[in-house]
Amino acid sequence: MGYRWEITRAAVRQGVVGIVRTADAASAVAAARAVLDAGLKSVEIPLTNAGALVAIEELSAAYPDATIGAGTVLDESSATAAIRAGAQFLVSPSLHTAVLRTAHRYGIAALPGTGSVTEIVRAMEEGADAVKVFPASALGPQWIKDVRAALPQAPLVPTGGIAPEDVPRWLDAGAVACGIGSALTRGSAEDIRARVAALVRESL
C-alpha cells in the first residue's frame, strides 16, 4: 500500500475500474479472479455483498500488485471494516464526509459519488481523491465534457450503465476512468476474461 495519490493513480491507470457485484464471497472472488487474471488491475467489491469483506481480504492477499477497493460504502463503520479487510480505496454512491474522513485517517483513497456540479465541487472541497459520477447513464459523455470545461481539475469517474465498448467515448470526454459492473463481469469466467482482455488492449 502506498500514499493516497499513488493508490488513486493505480486505481484509474487503465481507465477502468471493474465492479464485481455478486451475492456472496465465493462468487465475488471467482469473478474478480477472472477480471484480474485477464489483466485489469483495479477491482471494486461492493459492500451490498454480505461476503464482501471476506472477498476483499482474500483478493488483497492473492493479488498484492492489484488495487482492490470496497464499493457502496455508506458510513464510518463500514469504511473502517473495509479498510481492515484490506481495501485500498473506498467508493460511495453519494457524498458521505464521514467516509472521506475515515479513509484519509488511514491513508486510503476515497471516491464519493456525485450527480451534479455542486456535489462535485463539494466532494473536491472535502478532499475526494477522485469523484464518482453516478448514474453515468443518465448524464452521458457530453455532460462530462461540459463539466470538465468548467472544472478541468476534477478527476471524474463515471459509473453506472457504461458498456465496455463505450469507455473510449467517456475517456475522450475527460473522465479519468470508468466504473463498469455487470457489463464487464456477466457470463462465465471465460467470457469475463475475453471481455476484459479486449478492453485492456483497447486502453493501452
Side-chain angles (χ1 to χ4, degrees), residues 146-180:
D146 292 342
V147 171
R148 288 271 299 160
L151 300 172
Q153 73 276 24
L156 305 180
V157 183
T159 304
I162 297 177
E165 59 269 23
D166 294 330
V167 169
R169 292 175 56 226
W170 290 92
L171 298 182
D172 289 345
V176 296
C178 295
I180 306 181

Side-chain angles (χ1 to χ4, degrees), residues 36 42 48 52 89 103 110 126 166 182 186 196 202:
L36 293 164
S42 180
T48 48
F89 64 94
E126 294 289 348
D166 294 330
S182 59
R186 67 177 184 273
V196 173
E202 182 75 20

Side-chain angles (χ1 to χ4, degrees), residues 13-77:
R13 182 177 63 86
Q14 292 174 295
V16 175
V17 178
I19 304 170
V20 178
R21 192 178 297 279
T22 66
D24 53 51
S27 58
V29 169
R33 282 183 174 275
V35 169
L36 293 164
D37 289 344
L40 189 61
K41 300 301 182 183
S42 180
V43 169
E44 169 194 334
I45 310 296
L47 297 187
T48 48
N49 182 337
L53 298 180
V54 173
I56 290 169
E57 186 171 6
E58 183 173 337
L59 292 166
S60 297
Y63 294 88
D65 295 330
T67 309
I68 309 298
T72 322
V73 183
L74 301 179
D75 51 49
E76 186 172 359
S77 60

